[in-house]
Every structure is written in C-alpha cells, then in structure tokens.
C-alpha cells in the first residue's frame, strides 16, 4: 500500500512540430557525484575544468536522493516518492509519458549503456549494454563501459539519444568513502576516461554531463540534505547557449 503509485492521466503526446535534428545527444550520469567534489580541480581535474569552461549548473535533486528518483525526474519531470526508497534497485516501469517514448514518436533511436534502472523504468532501448545488477560494491566496471561506448562510436552504432550511466562511482563511495585515498585514485582514472570519451565525440554532438544525487562523506545518501541534493551539470554543443551559470531543479532536465 505504501509503494502504490497514482495512475497518471492518459495523455497523447503532440506530434513533433519540426523535423528531428540530425545531431546526437549524449546524456552522461556520474552516479553519486557531489557538487563540491566535482568542482575541485585536485579531485576532479577534467570535470572541474568543464564546469568552468562550459555552461554549467548546480542541480538540486529532489528530497528523495535515490538513483531511481533521479532517473524518473530525468525522463518524466516527476519527483521521486517513497516508492523510490523501497524500490531503488528494482524500479517499476513508469506509466507516465516520458522522454524516450517521445523520442521514438519522432523517429529518434535511443540507447543505454550502464545502469539497468533506466531499462526497468522505461523499457528496452534500441541499443543497450547494461551493467550487472549484482556487481559487488567495490568493483569498478566503468572501464568496460567506456570501451563499449568507444567501440559503438567507432562502428557508427551510437544512437542519436544515448544515456551513459556509471553507477560504480556511487558504489565505490559507499565502499571507501568520498574523501578516501582509494576513492580519490579511482576517480582520477574515471575522470581521465570520461574526458577521453567526450573528446572522441563529433563536434555535432550535444553533451550533458550530470549526476543523480550527491552523498555524505561516508558515501550514504537518500534523504534531504544539501550534500545529498546538490549535484553538478555541464553542457555544450549544438543547442546549448554558452557561458551560462545556473541553479536548476532536477526535474528541469526532462523538458530541456
């Protein structure tokens, strides 16, 4: 009874008014990435430089700081509820109209590399390579996911709307703590791999890099504190107005 969700009203999306753009959108989610960590040039050199160089924002997650809540916000512009606390790693298929449904209606192919919670929430993607849901918390699968993304790019297989979600960054914080030496070394390698992938994308790609939630220093999250809610975002490419420094709500991502 506690996790029963209200049925959203039935709505038929309006047909696209303009032809779909030929460019590609890549949405990168760095799970559990705190805003203060992301803007620290010593801990996250490439990420911090991108926050300064490109349009960027402090994005406030909803009061339920769980991954499934953020995934619903990114795709439907709805806020997380008690359901996401209970069903965080086994998200239910949303019954709300969502970004990927509308992309398909506009003949835009979709792709997912990484966290399977997106598939749980939205169904199958046209192209998908998923992280193992039972991966141990101290295992970093991001190098393998980057290899998949590079291979798909080289083969011309990347869809026009791609989600690349790395949950290992969150898991490793839970295992070692946000400011531990172990996590710091792991994140520096991740930061370099992320920049290498971004540099490989064609200039016609619109890029949005953000996080689903922050974390306490011990890596925990879930409730309404500034450290858990304040997350980073940077964006660039076609359609992105340069030089913007904003404060946003997480639900702003879906309509954008």
């Amino acid at each position: 009874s506690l996790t029963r969700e209200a049925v959203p009203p039935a709505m038929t999306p309006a047909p696209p008014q303009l032809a779909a753009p030929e460019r590609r959108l890549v949405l990168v989610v760095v799970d559990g990435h705190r805003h203060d960590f992301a803007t620290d040039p010593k801990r996250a050199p490439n990420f911090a430089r991108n926050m300064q160089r490109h349009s960027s924002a402090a994005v406030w997650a909803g009061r339920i700081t769980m991954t499934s809540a953020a995934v619903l916000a990114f795709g439907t512009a709805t806020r997380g509820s008690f359901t996401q606390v209970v069903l965080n790693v086994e998200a239910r298929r949303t019954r709300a109209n969502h970004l990927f449904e509308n992309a398909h209606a506009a003949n835009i192919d979709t792709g997912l590399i990484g966290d399977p919670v997106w598939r749980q929430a939205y169904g199958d993607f046209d192209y998908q390579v998923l992280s193992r849901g039972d991966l141990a918390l101290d295992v970093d699968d991001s190098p393998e996911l980057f290899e998949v993304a590079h291979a798909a790019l080289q083969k011309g297989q990347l869809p026009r709307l791609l989600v690349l979600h790395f949950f290992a960054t969150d898991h490793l914080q839970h295992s070692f703590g946000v400011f531990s030496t172990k996590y710091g070394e792991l994140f520096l390698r991740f930061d370099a791999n992320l920049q290498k992938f971004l540099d490989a994308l064609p200039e016609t790609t619109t890029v949005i890099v953000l996080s689903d939630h922050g974390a306490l220093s011990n890596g925990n999250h879930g409730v309404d504190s500034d450290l858990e809610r304040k997350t980073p975002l940077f964006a660039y490419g076609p359609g992105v107005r340069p030089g913007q420094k904003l404060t946003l709500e997480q639900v702003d991502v879906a309509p954008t």
Side-chain angles (χ1 to χ4, degrees), residues 53-56 241-245:
R53 177 185 178 190
H54 301 298
S55 288
S56 61
R241 187 168 49 183
Q244 303 302 300
K245 304 299 176 185

Side-chain angles (χ1 to χ4, degrees), residues 134-240:
D134 61 349
L135 203 65
L137 287 180
D138 60 350
V139 174
D140 180 10
D141 70 340
S142 63
E144 289 82 2
L145 297 180
F146 278 120
E147 286 183 10
V148 169
H150 278 289
L153 180 60
Q154 292 169 1
K155 296 176 182 177
Q157 295 176 339
L158 277 190
R160 288 168 56 207
L161 174 56
L162 173 69
V163 175
L164 186 55
H165 187 143
F166 301 94
F167 64 34
T169 46
D170 174 72
H171 288 186
L172 295 167
Q173 288 183 153
H174 283 292
S175 297
F176 306 115
V178 175
F179 299 110
S180 66
T181 300
K182 181 74 170 179
Y183 181 72
E185 293 171 347
L186 289 164
F187 191 86
L188 284 175
R189 291 196 291 271
F190 174 87
D191 184 67
N193 286 333
L194 174 60
Q195 190 61 49
K196 182 179 179 181
F197 173 70
L198 296 180
D199 289 343
L201 293 171
E203 293 183 357
T204 54
T205 306
T206 298
V207 174
I208 301 176
V209 181
L210 75 175
S211 181
D212 53 346
H213 55 75
L216 302 176
S217 294
N218 62 7
N220 290 341
H221 58 89
V223 297
D224 181 13
S225 75
D226 286 1
L227 289 176
E228 293 164 275
R229 291 186 63 191
K230 190 176 182 181
T231 65
L233 175 151
F234 66 83
Y236 61 90
V240 177

Side-chain angles (χ1 to χ4, degrees), residues 94-115:
T94 183
R95 291 183 285 183
N97 172 247
H98 55 82
L99 170 65
F100 308 100
E101 178 182 20
N102 296 343
H104 285 143
N107 295 316
I108 295 174
D109 57 335
T110 63
L112 169 64
I113 299 175
D115 196 335

